[in-house]
Amino acid sequence: MLAHLLSLHPIFSLPQHPKSIFHPHSMAACVHCSITDTESQIDDRLYSSYLKFCRPTFSNLISCEPIKQEKKIEQEDHVWLGMRAEAEADVLQEPILSSYYFVSILSHPSLERALANHLATKFSDSTLSSETLYDLIMDVLTEDGEIMLSVRDDLIAVKERDPACISYVHCFLNFKGFLAIQAHRIAHRLWLNGRKVLALLIQNKVSEIFAVDIHPGARIGRGILLDHATGVVIGETAVIGNDVSILHNVTLGGTGKTSGDRHPKIGNGVLIGAGTCVLGNVRIGDGAKIGAGSVVLKEVPDRTTAVGNPAKLVGGKENPVKLDRMPSFTMDHISHISNWSHYVI
């Protein structure tokens, strides 16, 4: 039913400064409010049926008129179009979520606007409105288009690597590791622009809400998976490459004895197991794997595996076993380790 209705009316779009709309059971959220022109008018009865199906619990205070389809729904943005299709299917399966899906995804013409609204809603409180946060986030996303390329790569990474992820929508709405990374991207841009107070505020919000603490000065690449994410701590001068997978309770920290450039540098395609600590300005080479519970204090060469406390290379320092596949993609935590450790049964 929803897919049929969607095919018969224009897609809703957000103005540059959307109004905050309060639902009696939720925080303020930004939805699209505008006035239609005569060319895009649709049957009132059909529109009423759509709103009744899609937002059955909204109060009469909400005003949302249909408008002409925005030219800027990018036909090549398969991630966003796929997410919308997933959302429509989810609403058909679980109509009780129709209002939530409408405000979070289906009312938005782009992934940028949906993300800005979702994060703003998560971080808003009685003293910091979702409208203010939405405008701030959209300004950053408009200024730095590279962020949205990274967002899409992160969505694909989670969908492909995490067997618990059933859809893009599932990741976008529910995976705090994904949301924490995207909030960090906003904070990092503010940090670079000298708006450090705002950047640190977002860091604190992420820490409180998602239990992930990433300093806004840290540099993080694209295609990142924070699996579960609880307890992840990443220091100010840490650098993380592209296509990296990190599990929960991982610390990329300093040794407590130095200042300046004092945090780890993680190469491309690295897999870091749960509970691992990498301490100091040490490099983890491209395609390396760090076993769960390890404490890494020295450099780990490319395509090698380090395990233990303190971590040692599987195969030994002189002739370490070389990995032939990218560990962050395979998410294989045990290959080669069982041949090295007597403690693995």
Side-chain angles (χ1 to χ4, degrees):
M1 176 181 176
L2 178 59
H4 173 68
L5 292 173
L6 285 172
S7 68
L8 296 177
H9 72 77
I11 294 176
F12 295 91
S13 64
L14 260 172
Q16 291 300 314
H17 300 286
K19 295 181 179 179
S20 293
I21 298 176
F22 290 87
H23 186 276
H25 304 297
S26 65
M27 296 300 297
C30 299
V31 297
H32 310 173
C33 303
S34 182
I35 299 176
T36 182
D37 60 33
T38 56
E39 294 181 359
S40 64
Q41 290 180 348
I42 62 174
D43 184 84
D44 291 339
R45 185 172 51 187
L46 176 61
Y47 177 63
S48 298
S49 299
Y50 172 74
L51 288 184
K52 181 178 180 181
F53 180 83
C54 206
R55 297 186 295 162
T57 61
F58 274 11
S59 71
N60 293 330
L61 296 176
I62 293 177
S63 172
C64 188
E65 297 286 339
I67 66 172
K68 294 178 69 175
Q69 181 171 351
E70 239 186 46
K71 295 180 181 179
K72 287 289 184 179
I73 287 192
E74 302 176 15
Q75 295 302 317
E76 299 302 318
D77 188 355
H78 302 298
V79 172
W80 172 239
L81 295 176
M83 183 186 298
R84 289 183 61 89
E86 292 169 353
E88 293 171 18
D90 285 354
V91 168
L92 289 175
Q93 183 176 356
E94 294 289 353
I96 193 174
L97 297 176
S98 57
S99 296
Y100 177 52
Y101 271 56
F102 181 86
V103 171
S104 300
I105 296 174
L106 293 174
S107 67
H108 300 283
S110 67
L111 181 58
E112 290 89 333
R113 294 179 184 269
L115 178 63
N117 175 70
H118 195 43
L119 291 176
T121 303
K122 290 281 187 184
F123 296 154
S124 63
D125 56 32
S126 59
T127 61
L128 192 60
S129 72
S130 62
E131 181 179 16
T132 299
L133 287 167
Y134 176 88
D135 289 341
L136 171 67
I137 294 171
M138 279 303 299
D139 285 345
V140 173
L141 295 180
T142 301
E143 175 188 347
D144 186 355
E146 287 294 316
I147 292 179
M148 290 310 303
L149 296 177
S150 299
V151 172
R152 289 168 173 83
D153 284 349
D154 293 346
L155 275 168
I156 294 170
V158 177
K159 181 66 169 58
E160 291 181 347
R161 297 181 217 161
D162 187 348
C165 183
I166 61 176
S167 65
Y168 292 131
V169 168
H170 185 209
C171 173
F172 180 84
L173 294 179
N174 304 320
F175 277 37
K176 64 181 183 179
F178 168 79
L179 294 173
I181 286 290
Q182 309 327 315
H184 167 74
R185 297 192 191 285
I186 303 298
H188 182 64
R189 175 49 55 186
L190 293 171
W191 183 266
L192 295 180
N193 289 346
R195 305 179 73 180
K196 294 188 175 182
V197 174
L198 273 176
L200 292 169
L201 172 67
I202 293 176
Q203 176 194 3
N204 181 64
K205 289 285 187 180
V206 171
S207 179
E208 289 181 342
I209 296 170
F210 301 132
V212 176
D213 194 350
I214 308 175
H215 192 283
R219 292 182 286 159
I220 299 179
R222 293 161 57 169
I224 305 299
L225 167 61
L226 293 188
D227 196 355
H228 298 290
T230 301
V232 168
V233 177
I234 300 174
E236 178 182 3
T237 60
V239 178
I240 299 176
N242 299 323
D243 303 317
V244 172
S245 296
I246 299 175
L247 275 80
H248 52 285
N249 286 325
V250 166
T251 297
L252 305 181
T255 62
K257 298 180 180 180
T258 58
S259 59
D261 191 359
R262 61 196 183 277
H263 296 107
K265 309 300 180 282
I266 310 300
N268 300 322
V270 171
L271 171 62
I272 303 180
T276 291
C277 291
V278 186
L279 304 178
N281 187 9
V282 298
R283 180 180 180 273
I284 308 299
D286 295 342
K289 176 166 61 175
I290 312 299
S294 299
V295 177
V296 181
L297 303 174
K298 296 182 179 180
E299 178 178 347
V300 176
D302 296 352
R303 296 171 47 219
T304 61
T305 301
V307 184
N309 181 6
K312 299 178 181 180
L313 295 179
V314 173
K317 181 179 179 180
E318 301 303 324
N319 190 28
V321 174
K322 290 286 187 175
L323 300 171
D324 56 2
R325 301 177 66 187
M326 194 73 78
S328 65
F329 291 163
T330 65
M331 298 295 289
D332 181 357
H333 293 266
I334 63 172
S335 63
H336 303 301
I337 295 176
S338 59
N339 297 328
W340 169 79
S341 173
H342 297 300
Y343 298 99
V344 176
I345 300 175

